[in-house]
Amino acid sequence: MDWTVISRNIDFLLGGLVVTFQLAVISLAGGIFFGVLLGLARISSRKYISCPATLYIHFFRSQPLILVIFWFYFFVPILFGKPMSAFISAIIGFIAFETAYFAEIIRGGIQSISKGQMQAAYATGMKHHQVMRYIVLPQALKNMLPSLMTQSIVLFQDTSLAYVIGLQEFLRRTSLVDSREVKSIELYLFSALVYLVICLTMSLFVRRFENKVHQGV
Amino acid sequence: MIDYNFDWGIIWQQPYGPLFLNGIKTTLILSACAWILAFCLGILVSVFRVSSSKPLRFFGATYVEVFRNIPLLVQVFFWYFAMPSLFPKPMELWLYDNISNLPFFLGILALAFYTSARVSEVFRSTLLSVPHGQYRAAYSTGLTPYKTYRFVVLPYAFRLSIPPLTTEFLSCFKNSALTMTIGVLEITGTTAYIESFTWRGLEVTTAASFSYLVITLCIIALMAFVEKKTRIAGMIHQAR
Amino acid sequence: MIEIKNVSLWLGDDFQVLKNVSTRFQKGRTTVICGPSGSGKSSLLRCINRLERFQKGEIIVDGLSVRDPKTDIYKLRKNVGMVFQHFDLYPHMTALDNITLAPQKVRCLSRQTAESKALQLLERVGIMDKANSFPAQLSGGQQQRVAIARSLAMEPKIMLFDEPTSALDPEMIGEVLDVMIDLALEGMTMIVVTHEMGFAKKVAQEIIFMDHGEIVEAKNTSDFFNHPDHPRTRDFLNRILSHV
């Protein structure tokens, strides 16, 4: 075992971690934004809105993320005739993919609100958008926050797949160092540990939050 | 707009057609093997997690957190690049040289351990969702804890766990694509492989996406059938 | 038949549910336990067949000590049937299978014997035609009658009822009480936690009033209603009877 390989390359590796965080944060923002739109579209009563949304969600949920990344890196540029950087295409791929998952969480959250709540609101003379804005969404958001945060942790882990298109995020840089120095055990243990600490911290946070939500009810 | 001449024939052509079919077969076998292993490990770990022994519970919790919070790709790399070097050098070389299917087997292991952590969480939460009254009712008629689990709790928990287990199996199936990074020629790996020979990536990748879609739909249809068959009359099943 | 001596039960470290409770229940008699919610009635019932482990005191059921770790608790439970507030039927089994499970697995009866016995019991509680229905297909009253049949199938010497009608719609309470009244008149030893005072007046020989984990008053039925000693009992009776 030779752990100096980590300290010797720590700047390079941490630089990768910064890229990982950039990927995660931008994709998360985009994923949630489009996820809310798509989730609302999915439960729309208008067929021409809900149908395409449902198809989109089902299609992307059936695909492996790695294939989606390939699509956006290699082939979508061909179709549009414009090459894209690995970073941009990875972001687009992640957003396109995660949107489908976030949309399902949003839908579940909205549908978890009992019919009685909506009927009670309608009975006081509120309009549809008011019922959504003041009654359904505040409760739904609280219900789905734990799942949203869990999915965010998954997304954070998923960013490692940008490895396959050569984007120099944390895992790619780990493997680059490995190919130079051949210290697989130390390097992969280190990267596993870094991911573990970050994701575990986030999931402990989610759990504490969940308990709070439960106590609040 | 599109500056690309499609040649869909590539998918049927020798040797790419059979190669592609072989990729589908590899994906199916790999994910099935990983699933069976994950299922058994998952049951074991969930039993640990609800056991009364503190060390076992701690072990179970650590197991789940470790395998759930490290990206699958890191785990795959660890199994393939780091694990063999834990052995003495001659053995490591022997492993890489003589086991032609090494990536396949290590891919199964990586996928199985990763999936098992999730499966055990499904089992644990369905076990916990069986109402306490069920235990009380069973105990009050003189059933032992073993018989209570065997006849009352587990059959019910099994039915509750079908929808979340289907989701986990589908994830396992899709995640098998990650083994391409260590050279397993499953669907995605085969696609990249054919692409590198033919420059017909668009056609082959479309075929790959289509394959994943169709197989996913088949699994969903199959599980919907199983769920309908095992549905408890009169009960409204809450999909979780 | 059942002797309860100085039983104390704590849930958690500092919440005492039962405080030094002592009483006895005699063979062939029906006792009603009433009292405000949180008074420890249901907990006392659950201590009798060790669904709840009490920390102090002793309960003797039919000569067997409940607290003694050497007691074969499964043998004891065979003789003590219990009916719950929320029925707790096994949702994945038909009514018939709910009833025959324990006779087959605990008393080792053959399936045939267990089933013919179960059908008799279903007839007795008046829902022969629901044998092959699943719990979710039955009304609350029907479910509770199946639950009573499930307990009776073990041929218990004692029946414990834990608020058997409080989760039922008003129009279904009668059908369950009728089954219980028949059972009491046949001479079953019954302990019933309930607020159905009409039922108490009709069949109970003794009534126990509990509050804050203690037995406040225990008397024979007519004395209990006509000459309650304790002000808390009178207060409770006033509140509960004023609605009738």
Side-chain angles (χ1 to χ4, degrees), chain C residues 213-233:
Chain C
E214 294 168 314
I215 292 183
V216 176
E217 192 148 359
K219 279 195 165 158
N220 72 48
T221 307
S222 67
D223 284 352
F224 182 85
F225 284 110
N226 300 326
H227 317 287
D229 286 332
H230 207 285
R232 272 194 280 174
T233 317

Side-chain angles (χ1 to χ4, degrees), chain B:
Chain B
M1 183 177 92
I2 300 170
D3 186 18
Y4 187 91
N5 293 313
F6 285 94
D7 176 12
W8 294 102
I10 195 81
I11 299 161
W12 323 116
Q13 246 171 54
Q14 279 289 353
Y16 307 117
L19 212 57
F20 192 80
L21 287 180
N22 206 43
I24 294 182
K25 201 175 100 191
T26 307
T27 289
L28 290 177
I29 295 176
L30 193 139
S31 37
C33 290
W35 177 252
I36 292 167
L37 208 59
F39 195 85
C40 301
L41 280 170
I43 290 183
L44 193 69
V45 174
S46 64
V47 170
F48 286 174
R49 295 210 67 184
V50 296
S51 89
S52 51
S53 139
K54 216 169 182 182
L56 278 185
R57 279 209 308 272
F58 180 76
F59 173 81
T62 314
Y63 179 100
V64 169
E65 294 303 348
V66 165
F67 285 105
R68 208 168 51 158
N69 282 312
I70 297 174
L72 175 57
L73 196 53
V74 176
Q75 296 189 33
V76 169
F77 285 174
F78 188 85
W79 282 96
Y80 186 65
F81 295 115
M83 208 277 296
S85 61
L86 286 171
F87 295 112
K89 201 77 193 164
M91 189 156 167
E92 184 192 343
L93 292 177
W94 183 88
L95 271 178
Y96 281 122
D97 291 344
N98 290 326
I99 302 186
S100 57
N101 270 340
L102 190 66
F104 179 77
F105 291 124
L106 293 179
I108 289 178
L109 285 181
L111 191 54
F113 276 94
Y114 178 80
T115 310
S116 68
R118 286 152 195 280
V119 169
S120 84
E121 280 298 272
V122 169
F123 283 133
R124 192 176 73 103
S125 63
T126 41
L127 273 183
L128 291 180
S129 70
V130 173
H132 211 81
Q134 294 284 302
Y135 295 87
R136 273 193 221 133
Y139 289 153
S140 79
T141 54
L143 289 174
T144 59
Y146 168 75
K147 283 176 181 165
T148 302
Y149 270 96
R150 166 78 183 74
F151 298 108
V152 178
V153 178
L154 289 181
Y156 183 47
F158 167 72
R159 284 164 172 81
L160 291 180
S161 69
I162 291 178
L165 281 182
T166 306
T167 311
E168 290 308 328
F169 177 71
L170 286 172
S171 303
C172 176
F173 162 71
K174 284 177 285 173
N175 284 334
S176 68
L178 293 202
T179 58
M180 74 163 285
T181 54
I182 54 171
V184 178
L185 286 180
E186 42 64 66
I187 297 176
T188 311
T190 310
T191 306
Y193 185 70
I194 297 176
E195 208 263 340
S196 67
F197 279 104
T198 61
W199 295 95
R200 288 273 157 221
L202 209 47
E203 293 89 335
V204 193
T205 314
T206 307
S209 279
F210 186 70
S211 310
Y212 282 111
L213 182 65
V214 169
I215 297 174
T216 301
L217 291 179
C218 289
I219 295 171
I220 290 176
L222 179 73
M223 291 318 289
F225 177 75
V226 170
E227 222 201 319
K228 204 173 156 195
K229 278 279 154 198
T230 56
R231 221 192 69 196
I232 300 162
M235 248 173 94
I236 303 152
H237 257 280
Q238 297 141 323
R240 287 161 22 96

Side-chain angles (χ1 to χ4, degrees), chain A residues 94-111:
Chain A
F94 284 137
I95 292 180
F97 182 80
E98 303 289 346
T99 293
Y101 287 81
F102 283 119
E104 280 298 88
I105 294 174
I106 309 280
R107 178 182 71 104
I110 291 175
Q111 290 183 339

Side-chain angles (χ1 to χ4, degrees), chain C residues 168-184:
Chain C
L168 293 176
D169 290 334
E171 75 270 21
M172 294 172 183
I173 292 177
E175 61 192 57
V176 171
L177 288 182
D178 285 345
V179 172
M180 290 168 63
I181 290 167
D182 284 347
L183 206 57

Side-chain angles (χ1 to χ4, degrees), chain A residues 5 174 177-179 181-191, chain B residues 77-78 80-85 92 96:
Chain A
V5 65
T174 308
V177 175
D178 185 37
S179 56
E181 310 225 5
V182 198
K183 293 271 179 264
S184 303
I185 298 182
E186 294 87 339
L187 283 164
Y188 287 117
L189 269 183
F190 175 72
S191 67
Chain B
F77 285 174
F78 188 85
Y80 186 65
F81 295 115
M83 208 277 296
S85 61
E92 184 192 343
Y96 281 122

